Amino acid sequence: MTDLLDGVRDHYRATGLTERLKAALTNLGPEEQRLTPQQLATLDQFHTRGLVATTELARLAGIAADMSVLDVGSGIGGPARFLAATYGCQVTGVDLSEPFVDAARYLTERTGQSGQVSFQTASALELPFDDGRFDVALLQHVAMNISDRARLYREILRVLKSGGKFATFDVVLNSGSPHYPVPWARTPATSFLLTAAATREAIEAAGFRMLAWQDDSEAAKAWIAQVRASGPPDPANLGVVMGPDFAQLAANLGRNLLEGRLGVLTAVFEVTPIKS
Ligand SMILES: C[S@@+](CC[C@H](N)C(=O)[O-])C[C@H]1O[C@@H](n2cnc3c(N)ncnc32)[C@H](O)[C@@H]1O
């Protein structure tokens, strides 16, 4: 297990990330100037369809101002900042990658949201929270890095309140083998894709009941086509986070989606009520 986590950590090791982000953001204004979560969206929404996907997932999950939200595998914190700014909720992010958590805290200071949004370095398989703490848990483009899905979904269930919602947005296996490297794994050794049906089975087996289920593969393909047609990327893009090979990783994701090897799934579940 530790070896698997080390491999994933290594993929997201991002040496000197916060310094690179500081440099990349100079064209948005001086260090003391407050930024908005929207201004950061080209580099801090680390999943297909960027901010649009986060907005849709939050709507499906019914996030509201009085809620306490957990973002599992929060990356550099883009979804957490956007949700807090849009809905007024409190958001806690956890991520395996220490450099990502450092970067998330830095960017959250830049948006002035440190009172509402916080981050911790931890594994999704061992969440550092008491039982029943959160109203909603989000998992966006993280499950494909996790082999022990039973434990992942049980941990998420454990930290949710009774009636709490679990909203997931992930890449799934369709048919054939994916081309590597991809944005979450440079080799198959740290990629643990499941089909959509197997994902649902694992989530329900943990104790959830399905509320919404959406195959977003066509929307993802349309987004890939739009990105390809829109010319050179914004200089503040995910290449700043992942390094110069990110263009190749992203291109392979596009190829896998267009060839039907991979798909994209959005689903929302609720904690199954305990019958007395
Ligand atoms: C593709 S990024 C997505 C980040 C974020 N959810 C987003 O959509 O912007 C995958 C993230 O999952 C994190 N991750 C992978 N395995 C994890 C684990 N076992 N526990 C916590 N975080 C994990 C990685 O460190 C990385 O930040």
Side-chain angles (χ1 to χ4, degrees), residues 113-124:
Q113 293 175 284
S114 300
Q116 202 183 355
V117 183
S118 63
F119 297 95
Q120 295 187 38
T121 306
S123 168

Side-chain angles (χ1 to χ4, degrees), residues 5 8 12 46-47 73 75 79 95-96 100 122-124 140-142 146:
L5 291 184
V8 174
Y12 298 105
F46 195 169
H47 50 258
D95 200 280
L96 195 60
F100 276 27
S123 168
Q140 288 190 285
H141 281 43
V142 179
I146 297 183

